[in-house]
Amino acid sequence: LALLAARNIDTPWTRAAVEGVERALTMRIELDESLGSLSFVRDLMPESMLVFFDLSTQSELAKPVEGTLEKGFSDDQPWVEFSCEPEAAVSAAEAGTVVATTQLSGGGWGVMIEHDNGLESVSAYLLEPSVQAGERVERGQAVARSEAGRVYFEVRRDGEIIDPAPLMGL
């Protein structure tokens, strides 16, 4: 009804508004679960619309490496470790910006990423990274390779270390 009423008001702004609404209503969009899993869609769509999407297939964070969770998170050792193939690709767990790449005291490397979702992650036991500080990375983008068949992974929210396993669906 509001659209019909606005159509009767002949001003430039109402004509533009009516045309925009008509274009949006007649636009053909293929909706699937990939659209619903985009973070901006989650932020902009009302929760009632999200029931049409299966958002359960994607965890908040991706595993940093194809491998097995070998060491779980604990208060004494607040990180997890994965076992994997030596020189396996290590990837960004979520899109964000590389904050630091650092050679560690044992000779391996570490990569810290500040993610768009407010989390920070640290991956370590790596060969020299293929990314550098300031570089933008996407979820799943390779950032380094595993040094010796294991990968250290730590996640922080608001500066506090948290258990990353639930965020990866593990």
Side-chain angles (χ1 to χ4, degrees), residues 59-117:
S59 58
E60 189 169 353
L61 294 177
K63 286 174 37 178
V65 67
E66 283 298 319
T68 306
L69 183 64
E70 287 291 321
K71 184 209 138 327
F73 183 91
S74 70
D75 289 337
D76 295 337
Q77 297 180 330
W79 64 85
V80 297
E81 287 183 23
F82 292 89
S83 65
C84 60
E85 293 293 319
E87 297 191 26
V90 177
S91 304
E94 187 53 60
T97 302
V98 177
V99 177
T101 60
T102 305
Q103 190 161 23
L104 306 173
S105 60
W109 287 78
V111 174
M112 178 183 233
I113 301 172
E114 188 175 274
H115 301 288
D116 296 344
N117 61 5

Side-chain angles (χ1 to χ4, degrees), residues 139-152:
R139 180 183 177 116
Q141 179 181 334
V143 297
R145 297 208 163 273
S146 161
E147 182 179 33
R150 67 185 181 126
V151 172
Y152 167 104

Side-chain angles (χ1 to χ4, degrees), residues 19 22-23 36 43 51 54 60 69 72 74 89 126 146-147 157 168:
E19 288 172 10
E22 286 175 342
R23 272 195 312 273
D43 294 341
V51 300
D54 177 12
E60 189 169 353
L69 183 64
S74 70
L126 309 175
S146 161
E147 182 179 33
R157 176 177 279 137
M168 294 182 287

Side-chain angles (χ1 to χ4, degrees), residues 3-164:
L3 186 61
L4 291 174
R7 193 177 246 171
N8 290 325
I9 302 171
D10 192 25
T11 64
W13 73 266
T14 56
R15 282 192 300 271
V18 168
E19 288 172 10
V21 170
E22 286 175 342
R23 272 195 312 273
L25 292 175
T26 58
M27 187 183 323
R28 179 171 162 73
I29 300 174
E30 295 294 327
L31 298 177
D32 64 13
E33 71 246 14
S34 63
L35 177 64
S37 65
L38 297 171
S39 60
F40 77 89
V41 173
R42 287 186 198 206
D43 294 341
L44 295 177
M45 285 185 116
E47 287 185 25
S48 59
M49 285 298 296
L50 293 177
V51 300
F52 296 106
F53 302 106
D54 177 12
L55 302 180
S56 62
T57 59
Q58 183 170 325
S59 58
E60 189 169 353
L61 294 177
K63 286 174 37 178
V65 67
E66 283 298 319
T68 306
L69 183 64
E70 287 291 321
K71 184 209 138 327
F73 183 91
S74 70
D75 289 337
D76 295 337
Q77 297 180 330
W79 64 85
V80 297
E81 287 183 23
F82 292 89
S83 65
C84 60
E85 293 293 319
E87 297 191 26
V90 177
S91 304
E94 187 53 60
T97 302
V98 177
V99 177
T101 60
T102 305
Q103 190 161 23
L104 306 173
S105 60
W109 287 78
V111 174
M112 178 183 233
I113 301 172
E114 188 175 274
H115 301 288
D116 296 344
N117 61 5
L119 299 174
E120 291 178 328
S121 67
V122 176
S123 298
Y125 307 151
L126 309 175
L127 295 173
E128 188 168 358
S130 57
V131 295
Q132 53 190 314
E135 189 173 331
R136 172 90 183 147
V137 293
E138 296 303 319
R139 180 183 177 116
Q141 179 181 334
V143 297
R145 297 208 163 273
S146 161
E147 182 179 33
R150 67 185 181 126
V151 172
Y152 167 104
F153 188 65
E154 172 186 313
V155 174
R156 301 174 186 163
R157 176 177 279 137
D158 299 322
E160 287 191 44
I161 299 174
I162 61 171
D163 185 356

